[in-house]
Amino acid sequence: MKPLFLALGLVLTGCGAAYISPSVPGPAENENVRVIPLTAQSVRIANATPYQPRALPGAFFETTGDVNAMQAQTGRLPSPAFSEQRRPGTVETRLPPPVLGTPYEIGIGDVVVLATRQGGTTVEELSGLLAAQSRRQGYTVQDDGAIAIPDVGRVQIAGLTLEEAEAALFQRLVESQIDPTFSIEIAEFNSKRVSIGGAVRNPTVAPITLTPLFLQEVLAVAGGVVAPDRDFVTIRLYRDGQLYQLPLRDLPRYSIRLQADDSIFVDTDFELEQAQAYFTEQIQLAQFRQSSRIQALNELNTEVDLRRAVLEEQRANFQAQVTLDAVPRDYVYLSGEVRQQSRFLLPFGRQATLADAFYDQGGALLETADPSEIYVLRASTDPARADEIVAWHLDAEDATNFVLATRMELRPNDVIFVAEQPITRWNRAISQSIPSLITTGVSAVTN
């Protein structure tokens, strides 16, 4: 039998009809080929080869934007002009300490009038009196606390009562050998004042004179309190860095004497008109909010439609380029006893496995493929070993090894090769040789 096969081989070789089957050579046949069985450990080594899958353009990940932020920008409301008015609670009464009843002391800025007796006729005396009255500016207490009197000089009277000032002037007149007959009075009180403001008709500054000044009097001088609801009016008194207060309704119960530099403010904790204006404004703001939301929604829908149209156009353009094979792609090639000799596109944005490519193209031909001879052929990435080919060998005769196919990641330009069964190789050789033998025999008989 063996001589017959040998003779048949010689005949086929002579006829040029010998069948040649592709296979993966071992290291003994080709030193540049390394065959590595696929195991759980070798799969991890194979997957360690660096590879970054190609990414889809940004248009596939973009959305129409933050709807809430866009709506907030287009529907922004104006700032309110009025603040909400809340009815205050009970105001704590804090009264100032009582002011001692001391005589008035002349101060800087006060204007004093000196009346002196003049000799001569009645007309001359009257003229002298009028002249003295017209010289008030000359008797204004200066910054140094003195007044300047002709023929007498400067006399210090600031900080003195009227009696003390009269005694000091008498002494200076005697020293100047001038008739010490005179009278002194204060014409203008400018050194001691009290200010009042807030919810009063006429905010003003009231002077403190020889008679005591009380809080009720200052309110009267300012024209009284002006407030729609007097139950919520508070009088605040600032004195020597301290704040005192009491409700307006309790003012008749107290007699508060004021002193120099007191500051009074009539405070309306609740303003009825402002409260009404606030609620009116809130109604207007609600109406504006409703209309602005409708307008913002329309603008938002228009902008979303425009953005969506742009994104859809970008995506459609990219998909058309992919269909026309006009964009770079990564491929894996399938060869041998597979359902279809083809190339498999590596997907965008993720890794693909041997199982993905193998079964996407229909898998192996069950009648002719050798399940124990499935290879992933990969060129070496080491520049020093550029000619080396690594053949990752999957022995699928043991069906459990197909699990390794689901873990084995593919790289660009990998070749998946499935070898044929030995019987398939023999059948193909026979089917190819028989027509050649018949042709050879006929030719011999003819000749």
Side-chain angles (χ1 to χ4, degrees):
M1 195 68 177
K2 182 179 294 185
L4 177 61
F5 287 143
L6 179 60
L8 180 60
L10 292 174
V11 171
L12 293 177
T13 303
C15 297
Y19 173 72
I20 301 176
S21 176
S23 62
V24 176
E29 303 172 78
N30 190 338
E31 61 180 6
N32 291 328
V33 177
R34 280 196 304 153
V35 179
I36 302 177
L38 273 183
T39 62
Q41 183 177 2
S42 63
V43 165
R44 287 194 294 269
I45 297 174
N47 292 345
T49 305
Y51 169 61
Q52 182 66 36
R54 295 185 181 273
L56 288 170
F60 285 87
F61 304 97
E62 293 180 6
T63 62
T64 53
D66 188 345
V67 175
N68 294 329
M70 293 164 58
Q71 187 172 9
Q73 293 177 0
T74 54
R76 184 172 298 169
L77 297 176
S79 300
F82 298 96
S83 59
E84 182 179 2
Q85 292 293 301
R86 298 182 181 272
R87 292 181 177 272
T90 303
V91 176
E92 178 186 359
T93 299
R94 294 195 299 270
L95 298 178
V99 177
L100 299 178
T102 57
Y104 183 85
E105 295 179 353
I106 300 173
I108 297 173
D110 287 344
V111 177
V112 297
V113 175
L114 296 181
T116 59
R117 185 174 62 182
Q118 300 286 341
T121 64
T122 304
V123 175
E124 292 176 347
E125 292 178 358
L126 180 58
S127 299
L129 180 59
L130 293 176
Q133 291 178 350
S134 66
R135 295 174 59 188
R136 289 184 179 179
Q137 187 68 28
Y139 296 97
T140 299
V141 180
Q142 303 298 315
D143 293 342
D144 59 353
I147 58 174
I149 303 176
D151 300 329
V152 175
R154 304 184 66 81
V155 181
Q156 294 286 335
I157 62 172
L160 304 179
T161 63
L162 278 175
E163 291 77 7
E164 293 171 344
E166 185 176 6
L169 287 170
F170 180 86
Q171 182 65 31
R172 290 295 299 276
L173 290 174
V174 171
E175 292 175 355
S176 301
Q177 297 181 355
I178 297 175
D179 184 3
T181 303
F182 69 95
S183 64
I184 181 173
E185 63 181 12
I186 301 175
E188 296 182 14
F189 296 86
N190 298 322
S191 63
K192 297 175 178 58
R193 296 188 174 189
V194 172
S195 62
I196 181 171
V200 293
R201 191 174 304 278
N202 299 310
T204 186
V205 176
I208 294 179
T209 63
L210 298 178
T211 57
L213 181 64
F214 293 90
L215 182 56
Q216 291 88 336
E217 297 174 356
V218 173
L219 290 174
V221 172
V225 175
V226 180
D229 195 340
R230 298 170 66 91
D231 290 337
F232 297 100
V233 175
T234 302
I235 299 177
R236 306 187 191 279
L237 173 63
Y238 297 88
R239 174 184 295 174
D240 298 333
Q242 299 294 324
L243 173 63
Y244 307 97
Q245 63 183 22
L246 76 158
L248 177 63
R249 60 177 178 270
D250 294 341
L251 180 61
R253 298 167 50 190
Y254 303 100
S255 179
I256 300 176
R257 181 176 176 177
L258 303 177
Q259 68 180 29
D261 300 325
D262 280 352
S263 179
I264 302 163
F265 185 82
V266 181
D267 189 5
T268 55
D269 291 334
F270 181 81
E271 297 183 8
L272 183 60
E273 294 180 356
Q274 184 171 342
Q276 293 173 345
Y278 171 78
F279 288 110
T280 301
E281 182 187 55
Q282 292 302 308
I283 295 174
Q284 295 174 348
L285 285 177
Q287 296 172 348
F288 176 80
R289 186 182 294 107
Q290 181 66 22
S291 61
S292 65
R293 284 180 177 175
I294 295 175
Q295 180 181 358
L297 184 60
N298 294 334
E299 294 177 357
L300 178 62
N301 290 333
T302 301
E303 185 172 355
V304 168
D305 291 341
L306 290 175
R307 291 188 181 184
R308 184 178 290 116
V310 171
L311 292 177
E312 290 177 353
E313 182 179 10
Q314 292 175 349
R315 295 166 185 171
N317 289 340
F318 180 79
Q319 290 172 346
Q321 292 175 350
V322 170
T323 303
L324 297 173
D325 201 15
V327 295
R329 295 298 302 272
D330 294 330
Y331 296 95
V332 170
Y333 302 90
L334 286 87
S335 179
E337 298 303 308
V338 292
R339 190 72 59 183
Q340 181 180 1
Q341 308 288 319
S342 60
R343 64 180 183 179
F344 172 74
L345 275 169
L346 292 180
F348 288 104
R350 67 176 182 87
Q351 301 283 355
T353 65
L354 171 59
D356 293 333
F358 192 69
Y359 291 104
D360 182 77
Q361 301 299 323
L365 291 170
L366 299 180
E367 299 83 1
T368 61
D370 184 356
S372 65
E373 298 290 333
I374 301 176
Y375 297 90
V376 177
L377 308 179
R378 180 176 299 172
S380 175
T381 58
D382 186 357
R385 309 171 69 177
D387 296 335
E388 183 182 61
I389 302 297
V390 179
W392 302 96
H393 177 208
L394 174 65
D395 183 4
E397 189 173 3
D398 181 356
T400 59
N401 286 337
F402 273 116
V403 175
L404 299 175
T406 64
R407 301 176 182 174
M408 174 68 180
E409 297 176 358
L410 298 177
R411 297 293 182 261
N413 300 321
D414 280 355
V415 176
I416 301 174
F417 175 75
V418 181
E420 61 187 352
Q421 298 180 16
I423 188 63
T424 301
R425 184 181 303 111
W426 175 251
N427 289 338
R428 286 173 177 170
I430 294 298
S431 63
Q432 186 178 6
S433 63
I434 289 176
S436 300
L437 291 174
I438 293 174
T439 301
T440 303
V442 171
S443 298
V445 172
T446 303
N447 294 332

